[in-house]
Amino acid sequence: MEHTPPDIVSLSDARGTSIDPAAPHRRRLRRRMAGWFLLLLLGWLGLAYLLLPLVWKVAESRHPALNDLPNVTRAADNVPGDPLNVSLIGTENDLIKGLAAAQWLEAKPLSLSTDLKIAEATVLKRPDDQAPVSSLYLFGRKEDLAFEKQVGDDPRQRHHVRFWKTDKIDPDGRPVWIGSAAFDKGVGLSHRTGQITHHIDGNVDQERDTLFVDLNEAGVLSDEYIVEHFHKTLSGRNGGGDEWHTDGNLYVGVLIHE
């Protein structure tokens, strides 16, 4: 009886399903790529959020020129933040009401839910007119109040200002607040650490002017004046590595008390 050779055209399992000889190799390749991606992700997280902030903190403590930067805020790792360029006089309620009348809304506190919301709004380009702002520090504490004004429907761009209550009071006994106004022009990676952050427009004077135009149009100021040469250093970089420049003047507004 003549012997019939096996079918060598294709390999089959017991159920007649074709077996791809390259499939195990592709699975190994996918697992290897997934492993490399995970390692790269963990490496970036460690570099951007642990190592580089530590390096900048050490560099800042050893570089005497950076210690001489006047009138700027500080990031959480103590590197210079945004410059101070505005001041308002009034109670906390005066600030909240005055900024609201000027269409600047109080920013929500940082939390996991607000972070996720702004991330979703950024990806989907949905407006979020009370999105949180990152914390900056002055007098050893983060901002007491923060306000923002949305630009269209793009959450990546916004006007924003942070305020700290000082220990000074005016002749009427109302507290003096000092603040930093800047315009967020987009979202990207920090030039210093690689962390995800908003990048500011370098012309901080324009944002200072915008805030005071809005306050005047809202009719909430009883007086205003300029402190010239408030800044001796007229340019610098913030914690995200963004350049800023100023004419050195501080704008001061006295809020109408109700």
Side-chain angles (χ1 to χ4, degrees):
M1 182 174 179
E2 185 179 355
H3 178 67
T4 303
D7 183 6
I8 60 173
V9 176
S10 64
L11 297 176
S12 303
D13 61 12
R15 295 170 297 179
T17 304
S18 295
I19 299 175
D20 183 358
H25 175 71
R26 285 199 295 268
R27 285 195 295 269
R28 287 195 298 271
L29 181 61
R30 285 196 294 267
R31 286 196 296 268
R32 189 175 302 168
M33 291 179 66
W36 279 111
F37 175 77
L38 181 59
L39 285 175
L40 286 173
L41 178 61
L42 291 175
W44 169 73
L45 289 172
L47 185 66
Y49 288 87
L50 295 176
L51 181 59
L52 284 178
L54 178 61
V55 169
W56 279 105
K57 185 175 182 178
V58 172
E60 165 65 7
S61 65
R62 293 180 179 177
H63 200 310
L66 294 177
N67 295 331
D68 293 334
L69 281 174
N71 306 321
V72 296
T73 61
R74 293 275 164 172
D77 51 10
N78 203 39
V79 300
D82 298 341
L84 300 165
N85 54 3
V86 294
S87 177
L88 292 177
I89 299 173
T91 65
E92 180 175 332
N93 191 50
D94 291 337
L95 256 73
I96 294 173
K97 283 189 173 181
L99 271 293
Q103 305 302 310
W104 289 62
L105 301 182
E106 191 171 1
K108 294 177 180 177
L110 280 170
S111 67
L112 178 59
S113 61
T114 55
D115 284 350
L116 292 174
K117 184 179 178 182
I118 193 173
E120 178 188 14
T122 300
V123 172
L124 300 178
K125 293 186 177 181
R126 293 175 178 170
D128 188 358
D129 54 9
Q130 287 186 285
V133 299
S134 59
S135 296
L136 290 178
Y137 293 81
L138 193 67
F139 312 128
R141 68 179 190 272
K142 68 179 183 178
E143 65 277 353
D144 298 306
L145 294 170
F147 303 87
E148 64 187 271
K149 183 179 179 182
Q150 196 73 50
V151 177
D153 293 335
D154 189 350
R156 293 171 293 187
Q157 294 187 337
R158 60 181 176 179
H159 305 276
H160 70 288
V161 60
R162 300 173 178 87
F163 282 104
W164 289 261
K165 186 179 180 180
T166 74
D167 59 359
K168 301 182 182 300
I169 58 174
D170 75 341
D172 295 325
R174 294 196 296 165
V176 176
W177 303 73
I178 193 160
S180 172
F183 179 73
D184 282 336
K185 63 181 181 179
V187 174
L189 298 180
S190 166
H191 302 310
R192 293 184 185 272
T193 66
Q195 297 177 11
I196 298 172
T197 186
H198 275 92
H199 289 295
I200 67 167
D201 187 288
N203 188 359
V204 293
D205 293 346
Q206 182 173 326
E207 190 69 356
R208 173 198 67 192
D209 298 348
T210 295
L211 174 62
F212 270 74
V213 166
D214 289 346
L215 291 171
N216 275 296
E217 289 183 349
V220 296
L221 295 181
S222 61
D223 192 15
E224 61 179 308
Y225 57 93
I226 296 174
V227 177
E228 297 183 345
H229 311 301
F230 177 75
H231 283 272
K232 302 301 186 290
T233 301
L234 303 183
S235 63
R237 289 180 180 270
N238 68 5
D242 300 329
E243 293 183 356
W244 57 264
H245 54 87
T246 177
D247 60 12
N249 294 337
L250 177 76
Y251 280 25
V252 182
V254 180
L255 292 160
I256 295 173
H257 181 63
E258 296 182 359

